[in-house]
Amino acid sequence: MNDYWDGEEDEEEIVPIEEQTRPTRRARRSREGQGNWYLLTGLLLGLGLGLLIAWVISPVQYVDTGPSSLSAVYKDEQRRMVALAYNADRNLTRARERIRLVDGEQAVHALASQAQRMLAENQPAQEARALAVLAADLSRAPEQNPTQAVAAGGSTATLAPAPESTSLAGETAEAEPSATLALAAVQTPTTPPPTPTPTQTRTPRPTFTPPATATPRRILDAPFTLKNRREVCDGSIPAGMLSIEVSGEDGNPLPGVRILVTWQDGTDEFYTGLAPEISPGFADFQMTTGILYSLEVGDASEPLDGLKSSSTCGWQLDFTQQNDS
Amino acid sequence: MRSKRILWFLVMIGLGTVLGLVYGWIINPVDYVNASPERLRSDYKTDYVLMVAEIYQSDGDLEQAARRLVSLDDLTPAQSVVDALANARALEYSSADLATMTRLVEALQDRPTPEADGEVP
């Protein structure tokens, strides 16, 4: 151990070369080889200690995060809140901005999936329906541009520099990328409140203010009609399977549309959009042989009766929304 | 000479610690993706309270509204709405939204607490 701290700089007794024994010369060469390794050792030890503190003992804890950084449970709750609020105020522009903060461009799929999950877990059907309705309306209604939003309802969306994220560990860090407020109508810079602790300032982020706009009639209020019904026996649809495709007035697939299947001893309720890899407007249902089924799409449609399972064929059912304007 | 080396060794440990902290806190901090609502920025909290108020205005379920507000922070539901209302005014929310939130805070302040009813929480 002592040799570790004794380098070539140490003073040594000068011994004539001819008097040096072989072991003495070897020990000296060994010490010269050590060089300044102790410096590197210290640096590495310090780095390890620093990372241990920064990542384990006292990691950065964001206190000004956005909805996208919430855990899955709270994201579900946030989506539920957005959908229920939309159910209450019918403000689609506002709901779109809110849900974007949670799921970005995947909002429609996330809403439809959560609606399905809630039904499967026997959670309140009314809340699942609110999620599905919002998914459907978001996928159908075109986005308004800022001028439309202002004209419609006098939006007061504000972009203001927000205080920077402050970590509990005394460091400053950006909690998430800047929130996008595509519909911001007014940009009013305001001064962030003074912060008592010295913090590092980064790019200001917009402050979220929900836009207030008039919203058109809900998409799912219009009825759906059966456009195409055919029996498929080539194996592309499993025997006894109902393959349902729902599209809007414009022909685009419509997710989040409620499908209600009833039979003598029961009912099943589900929504389109659970399999977006097939189609956002797709849903399916497996029938049992010997039972007659009735199927209803949306809330204002006539039920389709007399559906019966076959041992060799499946059914393809295409529904489209009626243009009642 | 040995003490000088020990000193440099300690200096390098200190330097390494600083570098490690800079890297771990600033350059590559822990990716925080499982936040709870209480970590939300104040404007997002305010909008959350507005959503609660909108839903309450629609369904009139005050207890449900109070439960939803509990997850937001350590304050009482009424105090959470009061704080959010102040923030909403600062952010220039519309008068309709401010009125919606005001109705909620009034309802929460009038709400009998479990202690007042003699209930055990």
Side-chain angles (χ1 to χ4, degrees), chain A residues 34-252:
Chain A
Q34 283 179 348
N36 293 324
W37 282 109
Y38 71 101
L39 295 175
L40 185 62
T41 306
L43 188 68
L44 291 176
L45 278 175
L47 269 175
L49 182 65
L51 290 177
L52 183 72
I53 294 170
W55 283 346
V56 180
I57 298 173
S58 179
V60 169
Q61 291 184 33
Y62 295 108
V63 293
D64 284 336
T65 62
S68 63
S69 63
L70 290 172
S71 66
V73 173
Y74 291 119
K75 274 187 179 176
D76 282 356
E77 178 63 17
Q78 194 82 4
R79 279 186 219 106
R80 192 198 320 250
M81 295 290 292
V82 173
L84 290 173
Y86 172 64
N87 192 46
D89 66 12
R90 300 286 189 269
N91 189 328
L92 187 58
T93 307
R94 173 176 287 187
R96 189 192 303 278
E97 291 304 307
R98 282 170 168 164
I99 204 68
R100 262 191 190 158
L101 293 171
V102 182
D103 296 307
E105 299 306 315
Q106 302 297 317
V108 172
H109 175 55
L111 286 165
S113 297
Q114 186 175 341
Q116 296 278 13
R117 245 186 305 127
M118 289 178 70
L119 287 174
E121 294 166 1
N122 290 323
Q123 293 186 41
Q126 185 189 356
E127 294 182 357
R129 181 180 147 66
L131 287 159
V133 166
L134 178 57
D137 288 3
L138 285 174
S139 66
R140 271 296 310 277
E143 291 186 41
Q144 288 180 285
N145 62 39
T147 45
Q148 287 173 325
V150 173
S155 171
T156 56
T158 305
L159 281 172
E164 62 276 9
S165 301
T166 308
S167 69
L168 297 182
E171 293 297 321
T172 300
E174 198 75 26
E176 62 164 15
S178 297
T180 306
L181 275 181
L183 294 160
V186 183
Q187 296 193 12
T188 310
T190 57
T191 308
T195 313
T197 52
T199 53
Q200 181 185 349
T201 303
R202 295 199 175 182
T203 309
R205 290 173 296 157
T207 302
F208 180 75
T209 306
T213 58
T215 302
R217 167 179 68 85
R218 288 192 310 158
I219 300 301
L220 297 185
D221 287 346
F224 293 86
T225 54
L226 183 64
K227 180 183 168 188
N228 179 34
R229 169 182 176 169
R230 61 191 170 91
E231 202 167 14
V232 179
C233 303
D234 60 4
S236 61
I237 298 176
M241 175 78 78
L242 288 176
S243 175
I244 304 156
E245 179 72 33
V246 179
S247 56
E249 294 172 5
D250 53 5
N252 290 324

Side-chain angles (χ1 to χ4, degrees), chain B:
Chain B
M1 188 56 69
R2 181 185 297 175
S3 60
K4 189 177 172 186
R5 283 172 168 266
I6 291 175
L7 178 67
W8 273 109
F9 181 69
L10 295 176
V11 167
M12 293 308 284
I13 288 179
L15 180 66
T17 305
V18 170
L19 288 176
L21 290 176
V22 168
Y23 184 79
W25 273 345
I26 297 173
I27 298 173
N28 186 21
V30 174
D31 192 11
Y32 210 71
V33 293
N34 284 313
S36 58
E38 62 186 17
R39 301 259 186 238
L40 287 175
R41 213 173 62 189
S42 62
D43 53 333
Y44 296 131
K45 282 186 180 179
T46 304
D47 187 51
Y48 184 91
V49 172
L50 175 59
M51 284 193 277
V52 174
E54 287 174 337
I55 297 166
Y56 166 66
Q57 187 167 264
S58 170
D59 64 12
D61 190 342
L62 189 59
E63 292 308 313
Q64 180 73 282
R67 273 194 294 274
R68 285 174 172 144
L69 290 166
V70 164
S71 65
L72 204 54
D73 45 40
D74 294 333
L75 303 172
T76 63
Q79 190 58 47
S80 293
V81 185
V82 168
D83 288 358
L85 198 51
N87 201 28
R89 288 197 182 96
L91 293 171
E92 299 177 1
Y93 272 36
S94 70
S95 56
D97 291 338
L98 293 174
T100 303
M101 295 169 78
T102 303
R103 277 192 286 275
L104 176 60
V105 75
E106 287 171 354
L108 286 168
Q109 285 169 343
D110 293 342
R111 183 176 70 126
T113 60
E115 289 79 10
D117 290 343
E119 296 174 9
V120 178

